[in-house]
Amino acid sequence: MSESNRTSRDKVSNYRMLTSIVANTFNYAVGRGLDIEQISAATGLKRTDLINPESRLPEEHAQTIWKLLEEAYPGQALGLHAASAAPLSSMGQLAIAVQYADNVRSAIEALVQYQSILSDRLSMELVESDSEATLKVHHPIDETDGGYGAEAGLAMLHRLGHETTKGESPLLRVCFKHEPFGDIDVYEAFFDAPVYFQQAHNALVVRRDELERPIPKRDIHLFRYIQENLNLLQDHWRLSNNSSLMSELRDVIAQNSEFSEYSAEALAQQMNMSLRSLQRLAQDHGLKIQKLLDSAREAKARQLLADPSLTVESISSRLGYSDERSFRRAFKRWTGQTPSEFRRGPSPD
């Protein structure tokens, strides 16, 4: 995927509440003593970008700022420190909704249902066993920022849970995939629970029966009211994001065709999506990925056949076919003509 396409996609798909998250990280870095010019040089951000409601700030900016903080303050649990004072309002109406849910289960289910409002690359999943309930949280950036974002994210969820239940911490344990940045006692004091590192998932774990704990402010009418707002917001982001992604999808198909690459798997990889997500994106627009790829192949075939110096065999190879016969069959299916008939053009009257 070209850098311009990736930037274009970031502007749409990674905005969600991430302008607030990038702003929070930026302001935390300034509060810790990093020079604004240093941050701007590394990210390209200016303060005006943080207050412009039309700005679309890629989440990679937060990753860059965490790297600067790590260099300046090694060996400290910076994610926890930042999250301890970050406003819960950075999670928008979703943070309000969970506080009116009926119980802890419905609050967590709301987080999972509307996670795409926070980021379409965020993955939250509630997994239950006979005795435990685990909220697994993953974001692709976890693998590249060392774990600072994961710490801040789980810390914010813990704060939201504490604010919502108004009770003692129900956590059995907290799990992180990365190694600790500071003293484990700092982590366990923050979460008021055992904290384990180098685990399979980033997760918050509670007793399963805690899921039925009532929420003190529960109000089914207010909860449904906020849900309707969240549904509208989610639909808005899905439509705007899909429109941009479809435009990018066609660009990437065209780019791949220049390298004789017409597989759906390669396309999904270039789009930084799973094959299933890619297929669902096309289906949302009444299209099929294979049809889009065939159309690109046909257009390229017509272009190459217009060059008399190219043999049908070489064109077949350029289009990614294993043999000439497969190309001939495909071209006949697309156009009703063989490649040779197409080259001869219409018969004279």
Side-chain angles (χ1 to χ4, degrees):
M1 185 187 305
S2 70
E3 187 61 31
S4 61
N5 278 336
R6 189 179 301 279
T7 300
S8 175
R9 179 181 179 189
D10 284 341
K11 286 181 177 179
V12 175
S13 66
N14 294 337
Y15 177 53
R16 300 300 187 270
M17 300 300 171
L18 289 170
T19 294
S20 296
I21 292 175
V22 173
N24 285 337
T25 311
F26 185 104
N27 290 334
Y28 175 72
V30 173
R32 287 300 301 255
L34 294 191
D35 186 77
I36 293 180
E37 292 185 0
Q38 178 189 7
I39 302 172
S40 296
T43 63
L45 290 174
K46 303 181 292 294
R47 276 196 176 277
T48 52
D49 296 323
L50 306 180
I51 61 176
N52 180 3
E54 296 302 317
S55 65
R56 299 293 189 264
L57 304 182
E59 54 205 5
E60 282 74 15
H61 287 323
Q63 170 188 334
T64 301
I65 298 171
W66 283 124
K67 293 293 186 183
L68 294 176
L69 283 163
E70 181 181 29
E71 292 173 3
Y73 305 102
Q76 298 186 31
L78 299 171
L80 299 190
H81 192 229
S84 64
L88 294 177
S89 60
S90 63
M91 299 177 70
Q93 291 192 61
L94 187 52
I96 301 174
V98 300
Q99 297 184 54
Y100 291 111
D102 184 55
N103 52 30
V104 173
R105 177 187 296 279
S106 58
I108 293 176
E109 288 174 347
L111 287 170
V112 172
Q113 179 179 355
Y114 297 109
Q115 59 186 283
S116 63
I117 290 175
L118 301 176
S119 170
D120 58 2
R121 297 167 67 189
L122 177 67
S123 173
M124 288 194 282
E125 178 187 13
L126 178 62
V127 179
E128 298 179 51
S129 66
D130 291 340
S131 59
E132 296 182 349
T134 302
L135 179 62
K136 297 180 180 179
V137 183
H138 176 262
H139 193 288
I141 210 169
D142 296 342
E143 273 66 59
T144 55
D145 76 348
Y148 286 103
E151 286 191 4
L154 262 61
M156 290 289 285
L157 289 173
H158 171 62
R159 281 186 56 212
L160 178 60
H162 189 270
E163 176 70 22
T164 300
T165 59
K166 304 294 185 183
E168 296 180 0
S169 173
L171 288 174
L172 287 177
R173 62 185 178 278
V174 178
C175 300
F176 287 113
K177 295 174 65 176
H178 58 276
E179 296 182 357
F181 294 111
D183 193 331
I184 293 180
D185 289 344
V186 173
Y187 290 90
E188 296 190 339
F190 182 94
F191 288 103
D192 193 19
V195 180
Y196 300 92
F197 293 88
Q198 295 180 290
Q199 302 297 298
H201 307 280
N202 297 314
L204 302 175
V205 184
V206 300
R207 294 194 313 272
R208 189 178 183 185
D209 58 14
E210 284 288 340
L211 296 179
E212 311 311 321
R213 177 191 287 200
I215 302 297
K217 292 175 61 176
R218 61 188 179 279
D219 186 318
I220 188 62
H221 303 294
L222 290 178
F223 184 64
R224 288 175 178 170
Y225 160 59
I226 299 172
Q227 271 190 310
E228 288 304 312
N229 287 337
L230 292 170
N231 288 334
L232 290 174
L233 187 58
Q234 195 171 54
D235 287 345
H236 166 74
W237 282 120
R238 179 179 59 80
L239 291 173
S240 62
N241 188 45
N242 279 357
S243 177
S244 174
L245 287 180
M246 280 303 298
S247 176
E248 182 192 350
L249 176 62
R250 296 181 189 278
D251 288 344
V252 173
I253 289 174
Q255 291 168 16
N256 281 359
S257 71
E258 296 301 317
F259 299 94
S260 304
E261 179 56 77
Y262 297 94
S263 73
E265 291 77 11
L267 179 60
Q269 184 176 9
Q270 284 291 89
M271 292 289 293
N272 195 28
M273 302 172 71
S274 69
L275 181 57
R276 184 175 180 180
S277 295
L278 182 66
Q279 291 168 336
R280 187 164 53 246
L281 171 65
Q283 289 170 0
D284 286 345
H285 289 76
L287 301 169
K288 293 184 177 180
I289 291 298
Q290 194 56 54
K291 179 67 175 177
L292 292 171
L293 292 170
D294 284 346
S295 294
R297 242 174 180 166
E298 178 187 348
K300 191 67 174 180
R302 289 173 180 268
Q303 175 188 339
L304 295 174
L305 286 168
D307 184 348
S309 67
L310 297 175
T311 66
V312 173
E313 181 180 6
S314 66
I315 293 173
S316 169
S317 178
R318 289 195 186 193
L319 293 173
Y321 287 99
S322 57
D323 57 69
E324 182 180 335
R325 185 169 16 179
S326 297
F327 167 55
R328 291 180 183 275
R329 283 199 302 266
F331 195 82
K332 178 76 172 180
R333 185 176 69 253
W334 299 331
T335 67
Q337 296 178 296
T338 65
S340 299
E341 289 171 341
F342 176 83
R343 270 186 156 166
R344 287 198 296 267
S347 302
D349 294 334

